[in-house]
Amino acid sequence: MRSSMADLNIDDGGGESFSGGYDANTSTFTILGNSKINTTEPAGCWRISGVFHVYVSEKPNWFHRKMTKLLLGWVWIDT
C-alpha cells in the first residue's frame, strides 16, 4: 500500500536543510517534524477581475457579500 505522505526537503542555501511533508488523508502539512499547518477545501472565491480569483476557506455572510459586490464590484463564487 502506498503512503499518502509526500516528502518535502528544502535547502536554505546556507548548508541547513529543512524537511516536512503533506499528508493527504488529514490535509496536514508537517514542517520540521513538529509544526503542522492544517489545510481545508475552499468554500469559494472572490472574482476580482476576469482572471484574478482569491480563494477563502469560509463563506462570508450575505451582508458582506452584498456590500463587497456593491462597493468593490467583486463577485462571490461558491465552489
Side-chain angles (χ1 to χ4, degrees):
M1 184 165 119
R2 283 180 46 189
S3 172
S4 62
M5 184 75 163
D7 292 328
L8 173 68
N9 292 312
I10 301 170
D11 185 4
D12 68 352
E16 291 190 39
S17 64
F18 303 95
S19 63
Y22 175 72
D23 187 352
N25 291 330
T26 60
S27 296
T28 304
F29 283 102
T30 303
I31 301 171
L32 300 176
N34 59 4
S35 301
K36 292 189 177 190
I37 301 171
N38 291 324
T39 59
T40 59
E41 292 293 320
C45 67
W46 292 105
R47 186 182 62 177
I48 297 175
S49 67
V51 295
F52 187 71
H53 295 75
V54 176
Y55 288 86
V56 294
S57 59
E58 294 182 13
K59 183 176 182 178
N61 65 36
W62 68 271
F63 182 74
H64 290 164
R65 293 191 312 266
K66 187 66 160 177
M67 295 308 291
T68 303
K69 169 71 175 162
L70 290 173
L71 298 175
L72 299 175
W74 297 3
V75 177
W76 174 258
I77 301 171
D78 287 321
T79 55

